[in-house]
Amino acid sequence: MKFFVDTANLDEIREAADMGVLDGVTTNPSLVKEEGNVDFHEHVFRICEIVDGDVSAEVTATDFDGMMDEGRTLHQIHDNVVVKIPLIKDGIKALRALDEEGIRTNCTLCFSPTQALLAAKAGADYISPFIGRIDDISSDGMTLIDEIVQIYDNYGFDTEILAASIRHPTHVKRAALAGADVATMPFETLTKLLNHPLTDNGLQRFLDDWEAYKEARKAEAGME
Ligand code: G3P
């Protein structure tokens, strides 16, 4: 499974990249807004220079021509850029047209298996089902991942399933069990994957015992 961070924050991206387990980054207009007064295209370039992997950057046009223009411009920024296209009618058209121009895409805002089927048929490189937002309305986001995995498997689509709107480690675990290709998560969630109290307690016990062992060796050497 590939790990992406879902952030536009350069410090978080650098820290995740330093861990050596980062395969890419996803951004969206809300995440870019959190970074304040930055130039969007320049910011995308800076992210691409940090990460050796795919970096999703989203169009904000909602009509076909506008999405094509923005998609081509984003594509020019860096080889790592994957153009994020919303799952609407003109978006489906744009996915197909961008694919024909050799521009890679991530189809975003997916909330149903039939939307995912459409995106795959249109040639999307990634589909982004939003797990957490489905859970937010008292439904089960993970069922959507299971269903997309099965549908893509049934027909041999090579669109990668990018589990998005991940909120906690259990989402990551369940997406991995379901066979999602990618999990994109906030940096905080990535660090939470490490946490286990038995690891902390176990390490402390090993370190304490090591100190005791060294003390005993020293004492024994003193007696000789
Ligand atoms: O990048 C899209 C997605 O991950 C958004 O997550 O937490 O805003 O639902 P969230």
Side-chain angles (χ1 to χ4, degrees), residues 6 26-28 31 84 108 130 132-133 164-167 184:
D6 195 30
T26 48
T27 68
N28 62 40
L31 293 170
K84 223 170 168 187
T108 188
F130 279 28
R133 292 194 195 181
S165 187
I166 277 178
R167 304 277 168 77
T184 190

Side-chain angles (χ1 to χ4, degrees), residues 125-129 145 148-150 152 158-163 179-183:
D125 292 279
Y126 292 100
I127 183 70
S128 290
I145 303 287
I148 299 172
V149 168
Q150 188 178 332
Y152 282 10
D158 55 13
T159 301
E160 292 191 61
I161 301 168
L162 192 165
D181 300 286
V182 188

Side-chain angles (χ1 to χ4, degrees), residues 197-211:
L198 291 179
T199 303
D200 298 338
N201 292 348
L203 180 60
Q204 195 55 55
R205 200 193 301 173
F206 286 153
L207 294 177
D208 291 347
D209 286 345
W210 189 248
E211 282 308 312

